[in-house]
Amino acid sequence: MAAAANVPQFASLYVGDLHLDVTEAMLYEIFNSVGPVASIRVCRDSISRKSLGYGYVNFHSVSDAERALDTLNYSNIKGRSCRIMWSQRDPSLRKSGAGNIHIKNLDKNIDNKALYDTFSLFGNILSCKVASDANGKSYGYGFVQYETDEAAKQAIERVNGMQIGEKTVQVSAFVKKEDDGDKSNFTNLYVKNLKSEWDSEAKLTEAFGKYGTVTSSAMRSDAKGRRFAFVNFEKPEDAKKCVEEMHMMDVDTGNAKDELDADGHPAGKLYVQRAQSKKERHAELRAKFTQGDGISAGKGVNLYIKNLDEDIDDAALKELFAPFGEVTSTAAKKDDNGKCKGFGFVCFASPDDATKAVTEMH
């Protein structure tokens, strides 16, 4: 049985990895077939009202919730495999990291269900997740949280160094990164403005492997087709050496070398730095905008926007960024024919709003 032995005395389930078009009505139809549903909520962005990709299903009875967890976990909903677990209402338990393990060097074909099937042999699993992008493509690592530390220790002893799929995995206890932790001790790098010849993860690994053993790499493209990557080294000293020698290396990206991106980095230079969480990047951007970067607080925070469509005008630019906060001014730079040159500026009244716009739109 998928449910933990110490079953919660409430009948609430977390349902994650949902397609963004999944609605409460769809979930009701699926889960009500197991037992009477008390309520359903798909969590949404407070501004755009778009789905955040997860929700909660509350049953009238714990036994119905248990049955739903057993029978519907990893089932297909609108083309995506959903991930179900007990809703943990105690934040201290949820954030403690007890019984949590980290799995690296996962075969890209291993999904949430395959990971669950592998690790459920060692104890009751509270949460199981393969890290992936918006399209469900694996980043090559994942997490499993057990009900007990004993189960986690057994999983580490039995699975670490074992081959799963086509790769030998590394399994270790999950170490929670504190916000004020040692940021000088890192192994994972974020890379952008990639060289054109790095057209595969194999070539990326070969290039970075000159500085030490690369345990995993993942290459992705954003919605605008801009490529970026993550490279993880076995040793922190190798990662640091790579940053020192490769960051700001000249690359041919097709852009003017002195052109700056939204983060103020030269478009013609390779970017190689310690990978940051979204929360950490958000805090850093907020601090940067609060300081003003040469713009007084009274005048707001000005953002440089590029890769705009030629039909964009000031009004359309304002409409595009208005969901993130009060926009005091916009300017879409135009050529002699009245067409947008592909870049512009948006000024927000608040650093928080500017930070939110960069975090969500960049």
Side-chain angles (χ1 to χ4, degrees):
M1 180 176 284
N6 185 19
V7 176
Q9 292 309 302
F10 54 89
S12 182
L13 297 177
Y14 165 91
V15 186
D17 296 345
L18 293 175
H19 189 287
L20 298 186
D21 292 336
V22 170
T23 64
E24 283 86 353
M26 292 178 190
L27 291 181
Y28 181 86
E29 184 177 347
I30 294 168
F31 284 84
N32 199 57
S33 65
V34 175
V37 169
S39 64
I40 289 179
R41 179 167 67 96
V42 172
C43 296
R44 303 179 183 278
D45 182 89
S46 60
I47 298 173
S48 68
R49 302 308 300 161
K50 290 182 179 178
S51 169
L52 296 175
Y54 67 93
Y56 296 91
V57 178
N58 300 308
F59 285 91
H60 289 287
S61 76
V62 172
S63 60
D64 288 338
E66 283 187 271
R67 189 159 55 252
L69 182 58
D70 280 337
T71 59
L72 296 177
N73 204 9
Y74 306 114
S75 59
N76 190 295
I77 302 178
K78 206 171 177 60
R80 295 187 67 170
S81 176
C82 71
R83 184 169 56 95
I84 306 173
M85 60 186 184
W86 291 109
S87 172
Q88 182 52 261
R89 296 182 177 181
D90 185 342
S92 64
L93 293 175
R94 190 170 61 243
K95 297 176 181 179
S96 69
N100 208 349
I101 61 175
H102 181 210
I103 304 98
K104 294 196 295 185
N105 204 37
L106 274 176
D107 187 308
K108 299 298 175 68
N109 293 317
I110 298 296
D111 58 13
N112 290 328
K113 187 177 187 307
L115 192 68
Y116 182 94
D117 290 343
T118 300
F119 285 89
S120 61
L121 301 172
F122 308 104
N124 290 316
I125 291 177
L126 301 179
S127 173
C128 178
K129 172 75 172 175
V130 173
S132 60
D133 63 15
N135 297 315
K137 189 174 180 181
S138 170
Y139 284 133
Y141 66 92
F143 303 92
V144 174
Q145 185 168 18
Y146 286 99
E147 186 181 11
T148 66
D149 281 327
E150 290 72 21
K153 290 174 183 176
Q154 188 179 2
I156 293 170
E157 291 172 2
R158 297 280 296 276
V159 185
N160 186 38
M162 187 175 88
Q163 184 167 328
I164 301 178
E166 298 297 321
K167 290 194 172 184
T168 301
V169 298
Q170 300 172 33
V171 186
S172 59
F174 172 72
V175 179
K176 190 175 185 295
K177 294 181 179 178
E178 299 295 338
D179 291 343
D180 58 352
D182 182 8
K183 294 183 174 63
S184 65
N185 191 29
F186 59 89
T187 58
N188 198 20
L189 304 180
Y190 169 68
V191 187
K192 67 177 181 178
N193 296 346
L194 304 183
K195 289 187 174 184
S196 57
E197 60 261 33
W198 296 343
D199 55 4
S200 69
E201 289 181 3
K203 291 184 179 179
L204 183 73
T205 299
E206 181 183 358
F208 282 77
K210 298 174 182 177
Y211 301 97
T213 301
V214 173
T215 59
S216 63
S217 65
M219 187 181 295
R220 298 288 181 266
S221 296
D222 63 16
K224 296 179 180 178
R226 297 172 298 187
R227 298 186 306 142
F228 62 95
F230 295 94
V231 178
N232 193 69
F233 284 91
E234 185 176 44
K235 300 177 180 178
E237 54 266 31
D238 295 337
K240 292 175 189 175
K241 183 179 179 183
C242 180
V243 170
E244 291 170 1
E245 297 194 17
M246 295 193 78
H247 185 59
M248 295 299 287
M249 181 185 292
D250 284 337
V251 291
D252 181 14
T253 60
N255 297 311
K257 291 189 181 297
D258 57 350
E259 183 181 338
L260 301 180
D261 62 18
D263 293 334
H265 184 78
K269 300 282 188 180
L270 184 66
Y271 181 96
V272 184
Q273 289 292 306
R274 177 179 63 86
Q276 296 176 302
S277 66
K278 187 174 181 179
K279 179 181 179 181
E280 186 180 356
R281 174 174 159 75
H282 189 281
E284 186 176 278
L285 287 170
R286 187 186 185 285
K288 175 181 176 182
F289 292 144
T290 303
Q291 290 167 359
D293 269 34
I295 304 170
S296 68
K299 294 182 180 179
V301 179
N302 208 10
L303 301 182
Y304 167 68
I305 319 295
K306 66 176 185 177
N307 295 330
L308 294 174
D309 188 276
E310 64 176 11
D311 295 325
I312 287 285
D313 58 16
D314 293 356
L317 196 59
K318 184 171 184 176
E319 183 180 352
L320 185 64
F321 283 86
F324 302 104
E326 181 186 351
V327 175
T328 58
S329 66
T330 58
K333 296 302 180 181
K334 300 183 180 298
D335 59 20
D336 295 337
N337 297 318
K339 297 289 186 180
C340 178
K341 291 182 177 181
F343 69 94
F345 299 90
V346 176
C347 189
F348 282 94
S350 159
D352 284 338
D353 295 338
T355 301
K356 188 186 302 180
V358 172
T359 304
E360 297 298 328
M361 295 283 282
H362 181 52

